[in-house]
Amino acid sequence: MLIEIAKGDFTAALRQYKKTVPFPGIISRICDQPCQDVCKRAEAGDAIAIRNLERACVDIGESSSEKSRPLPKRGGKIAVIGGGVSGLTAAYDLARKGYAVTIIEADSRLGGSLWKVDRDFLPAKTIEDDVNAVIKLGVVIRLNTPINQELHDLRRDFNAIYVAIGAHTVERFDLDQDEYGFVKVDAVTFATSMDGVFAGGGLRWGKEMHSAITSISEGRRAAISIDRYLQKVSLTASRINEGTYPSCLYTNMQGIEPHPVIDANDHQQGYEWNEAIQEAKRCLQCECMECVKACEYLKQFERYPKRYVREIYNNLSIVKGTRHANTFINSCSLCGLCGEICPEHLDMASVNLTARREMVEQNRMPPSAFDFALRDMQFSNSDKFELARNRPGTDMSDTVFFPGCQLSASSPDHVESVYAYLNNHLTDSRVGLMLGCCGAPANWAGQSALFESTLAAWRTQLQAMGNPKVILPCSSCYQVFKNHMPGVEIVSLWEIYDQCGLPAFAGTVEPANCAIAIHDPCTTRYETSIQDSVRRIVQRMGYQIEELPLSRERTECCSYGGLMWLSNRELAHKVIQRRVAASQADYVTYCAMCRDFFASHGKRALHLLDLIYNRDTPGVSEIPGASAQTTDERAARRGPGYSQRHENRARLKRKLLKTIWGEEMDGAQAYESIRLIIADEVRVKLEQRLILTEDIQRVIEYAERTGRRLLNQGTGHTLAYFKPTSVTYWVEYLRQADGFAIYNAYSHRMEVPGSGQLS
Amino acid sequence: MTEQQPAEPPPWMCANCNLPLGLSKVDVGYLGNAFPVDLLKCPNCGLVFIPEDLALGKMADVEKQLEDK
Amino acid sequence: MTTRSRIYEQQAMRDVAGDMIRPGGLALTDHALAYCGLPAGAQVLDVGCGPGASVEHLIAQHHLSALGVDPSALLLRDGRRRTDSLPLVQSLGEHLPFATNSFDAILTECSLSVIKDPDMALTEFRRVLRNNGYLVLSDIYARNPHGVAALRNLNIDSCLSGAMLQDEVTNMVRRHGFVVTLWEDHTEALKVFTARLIWSQESIQQLWRRTLPSCAEASDVQTAIAHSRPGYYVLIAQTAGV
């Protein structure tokens, strides 16, 4: 309502006001404003002059002619004893619900103690107008009718009774009383000792006009009880938020300038329109937006989290069609920052993750949403990369190094270095190696079944190796193991470096750039011990640590979390830009994806392993997989593209098998040997279109094997298409002596007849 | 159903059958819905040509429309 | 711009012809009629019949005594050109040139939202329907209560800008002396319809360009429409017996 007043739209404000209160004319003049006691504006100026604003709506706003029509008639005769504000409210609400209501009033007119209010303050016409609204609903009015029979008898003529006789009578009827002589009334339902008889308003308080608005509120709540009583449903269910209740709404008062209340020039007449606008503008429109301020995702969707939760709920509960909230649900990074910031710990991550699982369950997840990441995971857990080996010469492992899929994709050289380090430093431990994807993408995509089967495979594998302790550099893997494989012992690689010491060569050279900002991956949000270890490692190497404004339990996600980078690329771009702008310093992080995403936006960023293993330090070149780059080069490097990531994983496996276990890999697919020649600008296009080298190889293999291809007579280029699973890929190429030159590639999901199937 | 083809049809021909492509009605489908379209197609083996702008334009729009709202 | 542009007369909309004349097509009409169970020969009025595809279908397939009205001479001409015997009358929904109590059912498919004065139209529907007569409404509705205001400010004559909320529709129908007996969501049909509309053009942009006068407005319209979260419903109401 105040928003509308502030805009000068008094008519819209009045419409709002009428929706909430039964007697706008009366209430806007006599309300005792109990809400002012809790108005946050009072902390910076005075509480909002709500009654004056309400009156301005009634005085200035145009009342629409639309009448409130009663709903179809409902069976049930109700007597309201007492025509004061409380009784009138109950009568009004019940008549609008379609009940036959009779008001029995001892006096010669309706309104009760309203008539005792100063007439200048509350003119007779205002009372009459509002009371007429009740009469117009068809309520039967019996004036001059004191009750001179037992309620028990009256009950025979009515299905329910509301007793609202005010405080000015000692009449207690045949109802139980408390020790002070007041009628005993249930504080929630307003039920009395007699079945079907309810009571409220002044009679409960024994004081004239103790609070008109409270009497009205009680009339309304008693009407709810009576309706439920007649409908034979629970009187008490879900009534916690009726009447006054403490709100959990948090309003940040920081930086809010104090403004005193606007005084009406003419107190008698109330606010002029411009005074009302000024006063309404003081309203803070209390909405706790703390999480929205911190989260680009919530900001982008522009609304208030509680509403999101309702929308998500609606999205799931509507059986037919309607997937409006899909993009919203699938765009969240599931990082949990909102839950950390929210004073009430409302966490969108758990809400969205549940919603994704539900969508998958109901077969309503858009097929394209996370497909690419799931196929990436499938690759990692295929023969191409998946590997589990005890150290040569052993048949059991005490510990096993699990580098995860993305460190192996981004910096395969580091994986080799780390495995060598672990074998050197954990001298009393047999260190095995496990390559693959932990299953996090399936979890994020809501694919519970796939996630469970992935976990089961790892569990079996670990069992076969003698249940070793798992060493994890990636914090996403860490969370998966910690939360979903409770029987498995785990340790962060960073805690090992912290406890067992860095390689001898690390940190012996004075770093060129001394200040460095630590970005904690969002999956370490509550892993204080890992965060501490990382800081000690960085300090030990001689760097000065700059803490980002949002770090540790308040750290931000890089957009990889929850697969946001895939489901909402535009948003991911903004998220990364926001994070890299938090400091001018180079970033160091301990998640390969965080580093690569920051670097993709031109930010100088390092993986913690880049600090430890680089060419800056003498001696490093002697260890396996030693990096050929300096720290400086490492910070500036762009991460590999999607195809290269597959390639890096596959090569890493092949290399480790050969160098450590002396095994050769076999069983390459025919298409893998197809050599592609791809110009840089084409490569960029393929990355944007999420088309992998192997997709292109498959199209060419299929086309060359079957002959199904088109020929361009002008250029001599070949165009062919193939659909390995759900996406059809088109490739324009030219066969050359040393391979296939690729000119273009594109894809679609719509199905075309004859698009080749996997044989 | 109308389908605007470029003024000059691309000079693609079917490499296998050694035949020029001709316009033909094809149903492309997605999530249980069929969408008729005139596409260039080999009159012998039925190999079709989907131009890049169709795949990345209208097809992508329709995929998105049917997948999500 | 002084004249509001009428989306439904635009070639783009008329192009999506055949059985896809509106979301759900004739299949949705059949679905609604099955609920009413009208006997052969029952008198049915199609308000906003456009070129009369439903009228033709009601007569030929359902053996109903059907009649169509539409204010657009252009669309009626299209219909008569197709089948010249079609009983189509040029008229606004707010002023039906028929006697009181003369129809057993009224079909208003995707047109209540483009009628300027729906209250007046419903008064007319109530008047020309017999007791226990059926009102079959199918139309676009807005599923986001917070997106409706922006929608109403759009300067186009379209079912999308006239979309109401579910409560608004049912309350309005009830106010005019009807008992609402069925509300069904058919948003899936709207989605498929939109996909077909896109498919009939070169792209979404092309679709908007063709249906709206200028690109600048098109982007506002798209934003407002998306925010209102359009859905599609079928509502069946009966005139309350006296």
Side-chain angles (χ1 to χ4, degrees):
Chain A
M1 182 179 84
L2 268 60
I3 290 183
E4 281 91 359
I5 300 178
K7 283 187 205 151
D9 189 347
F10 288 88
T11 302
L14 178 58
R15 210 180 304 133
Q16 277 285 330
Y17 183 49
K18 281 179 154 180
K19 266 194 202 165
T20 16
V21 300
F23 309 118
I26 296 171
I27 295 174
S28 66
R29 283 167 180 269
I30 64 162
C31 180
D32 45 297
Q33 315 182 86
C35 60
Q36 284 196 325
D37 293 347
V38 291
C39 179
K40 293 294 281 185
R41 212 351 146 182
E43 293 170 29
D46 305 290
I48 294 292
I50 187 72
R51 186 179 62 214
N52 276 341
L53 286 173
E54 290 171 359
R55 186 173 159 193
C57 289
V58 175
D59 291 351
I60 304 169
E62 269 179 57
S63 202
S64 60
S65 58
E66 191 171 325
K67 289 178 195 132
S68 48
R69 305 251 171 173
L71 288 160
K73 292 276 171 252
R74 285 190 192 174
K77 282 174 69 182
I78 300 157
V80 172
I81 303 175
V85 279
S86 195
L88 285 168
T89 303
Y92 177 82
D93 284 358
L94 290 165
R96 275 161 51 103
K97 285 201 158 84
Y99 292 106
V101 182
T102 303
I103 299 180
I104 304 170
E105 168 60 49
D107 204 352
S108 59
R109 57 185 175 182
L110 295 177
S113 47
L114 287 175
W115 293 102
K116 295 178 186 164
V117 180
D118 183 352
R119 279 294 71 77
D120 289 337
F121 199 60
L122 181 62
K125 189 170 179 315
T126 306
I127 303 180
E128 283 158 7
D129 283 355
D130 277 359
V131 168
N132 273 338
V134 180
I135 298 171
K136 272 192 202 147
L137 289 170
V139 172
V140 177
I141 316 286
R142 290 190 205 154
L143 299 175
N144 307 307
T145 315
I147 303 291
N148 43 26
Q149 61 185 126
E150 293 284 296
L151 287 183
H152 194 71
D153 297 327
L154 195 65
R155 263 293 265 120
R156 281 192 211 119
D157 300 325
F158 294 96
N159 303 96
I161 299 175
Y162 179 49
V163 184
I165 50 180
H168 58 284
T169 169
V170 290
E171 189 73 70
R172 295 291 178 259
F173 302 110
D174 39 346
L175 300 171
D176 286 0
Q177 296 160 28
D178 64 16
E179 60 218 78
Y180 305 103
F182 293 119
V183 173
K184 260 195 187 163
V185 175
D186 184 289
V188 174
T189 64
F190 299 90
T192 64
S193 56
M194 195 184 297
D195 179 56
V197 176
F198 300 80
L203 72 87
R204 293 184 60 210
W205 311 92
K207 212 159 61 176
E208 292 285 339
M209 292 298 291
H210 73 287
S211 162
I213 201 72
T214 308
S215 285
I216 286 169
S217 163
E218 295 192 2
R220 170 152 285 181
R221 284 141 70 196
I224 293 171
S225 290
I226 291 172
D227 180 36
R228 289 183 175 201
Y229 173 78
L230 295 175
Q231 301 287 329
K232 297 189 170 53
V233 296
S234 163
L235 293 186
T236 50
S238 49
R239 299 192 72 158
I240 6 169
N241 285 358
E242 283 183 14
T244 58
Y245 57 90
S247 164
C248 56
L249 185 61
Y250 168 78
T251 305
N252 186 348
M253 296 297 289
Q254 227 174 31
I256 292 179
E257 278 183 39
H259 289 293
V261 68
I262 305 291
D263 256 337
N265 188 30
D266 181 340
H267 278 263
Q268 198 73 39
Q269 287 301 313
Y271 278 143
E272 293 281 336
W273 67 272
N274 52 344
E275 293 168 338
I277 291 175
Q278 288 312 311
E279 177 63 7
K281 282 185 176 162
R282 287 202 317 127
C283 176
L284 301 176
Q285 295 296 336
C286 286
E287 258 192 342
C288 172
M289 300 295 270
E290 293 308 293
C291 56
V292 179
K293 287 179 204 158
C295 173
E296 197 64 34
Y297 155 73
L298 290 174
K299 202 163 148 194
Q300 164 129 347
F301 286 87
E302 278 183 336
R303 272 159 291 155
Y304 183 60
K306 258 197 179 161
R307 193 176 297 156
Y308 300 142
V309 175
R310 196 163 55 236
E311 272 191 18
I312 289 170
Y313 173 75
N314 286 343
N315 189 59
L316 293 175
S317 61
I318 296 171
V319 182
K320 258 186 181 172
T322 75
R323 300 170 181 169
H324 65 269
N326 286 5
T327 314
F328 177 69
I329 293 168
N330 290 339
S331 297
C332 175
S333 71
L334 309 177
C335 80
L337 177 58
C338 53
E340 168 57 31
I341 284 179
C342 175
E344 291 299 317
H345 300 292
L346 175 62
D347 181 11
M348 295 306 295
S350 55
V351 175
N352 280 321
L353 186 56
T354 311
R356 290 182 194 181
R357 288 180 185 148
E358 200 85 355
M359 282 160 71
V360 171
E361 182 90 354
Q362 297 174 7
N363 209 10
R364 288 169 46 196
M365 179 60 85
S368 63
F370 302 116
D371 193 33
F372 187 77
L374 294 172
R375 281 190 280 144
D376 190 48
M377 176 177 150
Q378 192 182 19
F379 175 91
S380 294
N381 289 340
S382 73
D383 286 349
K384 301 269 189 306
F385 181 55
E386 199 267 325
L387 178 78
R389 285 281 192 283
N390 296 309
R391 201 163 74 186
T394 62
D395 56 0
M396 290 290 241
S397 293
D398 306 302
T399 51
V400 61
F401 179 46
F402 186 78
C405 61
Q406 296 297 14
L407 180 65
S408 307
S410 178
S411 302
D413 47 351
H414 287 335
V415 173
E416 284 180 73
S417 308
V418 173
Y419 189 53
Y421 163 87
L422 292 172
N423 273 310
N424 290 337
H425 282 70
L426 306 181
T427 41
D428 53 352
S429 174
R430 290 166 293 181
V431 189
L433 181 72
M434 248 173 29
L435 299 180
C437 167
C438 65
N443 187 34
W444 288 334
Q447 301 281 348
S448 307
L450 177 60
F451 184 46
E452 286 305 326
S453 64
T454 307
L455 295 178
W458 289 128
R459 262 188 226 109
T460 312
Q461 193 57 65
L462 286 168
Q463 219 160 16
M465 297 171 93
N467 295 317
K469 181 196 263 195
V470 185
I471 301 170
L472 301 159
C474 167
S475 46
S476 297
C477 299
Y478 191 90
Q479 292 305 325
V480 166
F481 276 79
K482 180 177 170 182
N483 297 317
H484 301 277
M485 288 191 260
V488 176
E489 210 187 335
I490 54 172
V491 60
S492 161
L493 175 65
W494 317 118
E495 290 169 317
I496 292 194
Y497 277 121
D498 185 23
Q499 285 153 20
C500 303
L502 294 166
F505 48 81
T508 52
V509 166
E510 192 66 21
N513 189 351
C514 278
I516 197 157
I518 293 186
H519 163 81
D520 298 299
C522 62
T523 36
T524 67
R525 187 171 307 289
Y526 300 112
E527 305 299 342
T528 320
S529 146
I530 298 178
Q531 293 167 349
D532 290 344
S533 287
V534 166
R535 282 161 176 75
R536 281 194 289 269
I537 295 167
V538 174
Q539 271 165 349
R540 237 173 264 161
M541 285 189 292
Y543 286 90
Q544 273 172 22
I545 295 173
E546 183 189 315
E547 289 290 358
L548 293 172
L550 291 176
S551 62
R552 291 186 178 259
E553 75 279 1
R554 294 214 160 186
T555 191
E556 291 179 281
C557 174
C558 69
S559 83
Y560 184 67
L563 303 175
M564 172 202 277
W565 67 276
L566 183 60
S567 58
N568 196 332
R569 290 159 92 177
E570 211 176 304
L571 174 62
H573 176 71
K574 284 188 197 155
V575 165
I576 300 168
Q577 275 190 323
R578 177 174 167 145
R579 187 56 175 170
V580 300
S583 164
Q584 293 293 316
D586 288 4
Y587 285 5
V588 64
T589 184
Y590 37 114
C591 161
M593 288 316 293
C594 294
R595 198 222 73 90
D596 286 354
F597 275 144
F598 295 155
S600 74
H601 282 60
K603 180 74 187 175
R604 285 173 51 88
L606 290 156
H607 193 276
L608 189 45
L609 290 172
D610 294 332
L611 285 189
I612 302 174
Y613 302 98
N614 53 62
R615 215 185 53 195
D616 304 355
T617 41
V620 74
S621 57
E622 286 149 34
I623 63 151
S627 174
Q629 288 176 314
T630 63
T631 316
D632 202 44
E633 287 163 345
R634 281 256 162 197
R637 83 187 191 282
R638 296 287 169 117
Y642 302 121
S643 298
Q644 193 59 46
R645 299 183 93 86
H646 277 201
E647 188 60 36
N648 286 350
R649 286 179 203 143
R651 278 191 200 152
L652 176 66
K653 174 179 176 178
R654 203 175 298 135
K655 187 173 177 194
L656 290 173
L657 264 184
K658 193 169 177 183
T659 55
I660 299 178
W661 288 275
E663 292 176 32
E664 291 285 349
M665 268 179 80
D666 49 25
Q669 300 276 341
Y671 66 81
E672 290 173 57
S673 59
I674 292 176
R675 195 170 166 272
L676 304 181
I677 302 149
I678 308 176
D680 282 349
E681 65 269 24
V682 176
R683 208 172 275 283
V684 169
K685 198 195 267 184
L686 299 180
E687 280 290 308
Q688 282 166 351
R689 295 180 177 178
L690 301 176
I691 297 173
L692 302 177
T693 309
E694 65 208 62
D695 300 325
I696 293 177
Q697 288 170 323
R698 284 179 171 192
V699 174
I700 294 176
E701 191 279 328
Y702 171 80
E704 295 296 314
R705 175 163 52 84
T706 61
R708 290 178 69 80
R709 60 221 151 126
L710 301 169
L711 180 69
N712 186 315
Q713 288 167 297
T715 59
H717 292 182
T718 298
L719 182 67
Y721 59 106
F722 181 63
K723 181 174 157 236
T725 45
S726 51
V727 178
T728 304
Y729 296 97
W730 289 76
V731 178
E732 183 180 339
Y733 63 92
L734 184 64
R735 181 171 211 150
Q736 292 179 348
D738 54 346
F740 293 86
I742 307 303
Y743 295 96
N744 194 13
Y746 49 95
S747 71
H748 55 80
R749 288 174 170 269
M750 290 190 89
E751 287 162 31
V752 182
S755 49
Q757 297 299 317
L758 271 179
S759 46
Chain B
M1 201 67 36
T2 58
E3 180 52 46
Q4 292 80 20
Q5 290 290 345
E8 290 259 328
W12 296 106
M13 60 180 298
C14 180
N16 230 11
C17 310
N18 202 21
L19 286 170
L21 306 182
L23 270 185
S24 174
K25 185 138 289 179
V26 173
D27 269 348
V28 295
Y30 198 54
L31 300 178
N33 297 287
F35 294 83
V37 59
D38 285 329
L39 288 180
L40 286 168
K41 186 175 166 181
C42 172
N44 183 43
C45 71
L47 200 65
V48 300
F49 167 59
I50 295 202
E52 181 176 13
D53 56 353
L54 177 62
L56 303 184
K58 206 159 68 178
M59 278 183 151
D61 290 342
V62 167
E63 286 163 13
K64 192 167 186 308
Q65 172 65 26
L66 287 175
E67 280 189 356
D68 212 329
K69 217 170 157 53
Chain C
M1 198 174 74
T2 51
T3 53
R4 284 153 66 99
S5 86
R6 285 186 179 157
I7 271 191
Y8 55 87
E9 280 188 349
Q10 298 291 317
Q11 196 59 43
M13 290 286 167
R14 291 156 71 204
D15 276 349
V16 187
D19 60 342
M20 264 322 228
I21 44 182
R22 63 181 163 267
L26 291 172
L28 197 56
T29 309
D30 291 344
H31 169 77
L33 283 175
Y35 180 89
C36 302
L38 298 168
Q43 311 232 270
V44 180
L45 177 66
D46 181 359
V47 177
C49 62
S54 281
V55 174
E56 198 170 349
H57 178 75
L58 296 182
I59 296 170
Q61 302 302 318
H62 293 265
H63 312 291
L64 296 166
S65 171
L67 188 71
V69 295
D70 199 287
S72 164
L74 185 76
L75 296 180
L76 295 179
R77 200 189 57 210
D78 278 0
R80 291 201 195 93
R81 221 176 257 167
R82 196 179 67 246
T83 312
D84 63 359
S85 63
L86 273 184
L88 305 180
V89 179
Q90 188 179 3
S91 156
L92 286 167
E94 295 96 323
H95 301 284
L96 296 174
F98 306 109
T100 301
N101 297 334
S102 46
F103 290 97
D104 299 303
I106 288 182
L107 221 58
T108 310
E109 297 174 307
C110 217
S111 62
L112 189 68
S113 48
V114 286
I115 288 179
K116 285 221 170 53
D117 188 343
D119 270 299
M120 196 159 173
L122 281 163
T123 308
E124 278 290 85
F125 294 176
R126 177 69 191 86
R127 181 182 68 78
V128 302
L129 272 176
R130 302 196 170 109
N131 277 339
N132 298 315
Y134 287 99
L135 171 63
V136 176
L137 288 181
S138 69
D139 218 323
I140 290 198
Y141 73 114
R143 292 178 297 150
N144 175 14
H146 305 282
V148 177
L151 208 56
R152 305 276 151 85
N153 293 333
L154 296 178
N155 202 20
I156 50 166
D157 251 359
S158 141
C159 47
L160 290 164
S161 57
M164 292 192 281
L165 297 165
Q166 176 176 353
D167 280 356
E168 292 178 316
V169 177
T170 51
N171 288 337
M172 182 169 71
V173 170
R174 284 194 187 111
R175 269 207 310 277
H176 288 277
F178 289 91
V179 177
V180 175
T181 57
L182 181 78
W183 171 282
E184 281 181 350
D185 179 86
H186 287 274
T187 301
E188 192 68 32
L190 179 64
K191 249 168 43 180
V192 174
F193 180 76
T194 314
R196 293 201 185 287
L197 215 47
I198 295 167
W199 193 249
S200 71
Q201 304 298 309
E202 273 153 36
S203 66
I204 294 184
Q205 285 68 36
Q206 175 89 16
L207 173 65
W208 290 112
R209 266 201 300 280
R210 289 201 178 180
T211 48
L212 297 166
S214 80
C215 291
E217 275 182 47
S219 100
D220 292 350
V221 170
Q222 287 172 51
T223 311
I225 288 173
H227 189 53
S228 75
R229 279 191 1 242
Y232 204 75
Y233 69 87
V234 168
L235 175 152
I236 296 180
Q238 268 188 290
T239 53
V242 177

